[in-house]
Amino acid sequence: MDAEKIKQLYAAGERYFPAANLIKAKLIGASLPGINLWGADLSGANLARAKLWGADLSRANLANANLTRANLCGVKLNEANLRGAKLNFTKLYGADLTGAYYDETTRFSRNFDPVSRNMQKF
């Protein structure tokens, strides 16, 4: 399923897209609050400025994804792969990052402490 199909189905009221294959999807500025992308592969996706508050991205693969300036407030990111992801200026208020994976190439906003958010470094 591609990014355009997801946006089309979302606009029609669908919210549940578990394990969707969205590798390198272009979802820049997409407004998809409450979407369920549990276990989806979003590796290399561009989600800059996306509005995803309240979404479920648990166990999603967001390796090397661009989440710069995205709104991830209240998002479930449990056990998500954030290795190499760009999270500069990303809104993470109330987001659950328990068990999410990051590495030395993951970029966070200034003063963000992944350890205090129960993230795991790999």
Side-chain angles (χ1 to χ4, degrees):
M1 189 173 304
D2 66 11
E4 290 307 312
K5 185 68 173 174
I6 291 275
K7 288 192 276 188
Q8 183 181 47
L9 290 170
Y10 183 92
E14 182 66 41
R15 298 292 183 268
Y16 191 65
F17 305 97
N21 182 349
L22 293 166
I23 297 170
K24 295 186 178 180
K26 295 196 181 357
L27 291 163
I28 301 163
S31 184
L32 303 168
I35 194 167
N36 186 324
L37 290 167
W38 185 96
D41 191 346
L42 291 147
S43 55
N46 192 340
L47 295 150
R49 297 185 320 277
K51 296 161 191 73
L52 299 169
W53 59 86
D56 188 349
L57 295 170
S58 301
R59 295 193 173 187
N61 182 3
L62 291 154
N64 301 308
N66 182 358
L67 295 154
T68 302
R69 297 189 186 277
N71 185 334
L72 302 180
C73 293
V75 171
K76 294 179 187 172
L77 285 158
N78 313 78
E79 299 178 24
N81 178 3
L82 294 168
R83 289 178 267 197
K86 295 176 187 164
L87 295 154
N88 308 80
F89 306 106
T90 300
K91 294 178 184 173
L92 290 165
Y93 310 110
D96 187 351
L97 292 152
T98 304
Y101 303 99
Y102 70 101
D103 63 13
E104 63 282 343
T105 64
T106 305
R107 297 292 166 244
F108 296 106
S109 293
R110 183 176 299 182
N111 298 322
F112 180 84
D113 178 18
V115 174
S116 71
R117 300 298 289 272
N118 299 311
M119 296 179 72
Q120 299 180 28
K121 187 170 185 178
F122 269 79

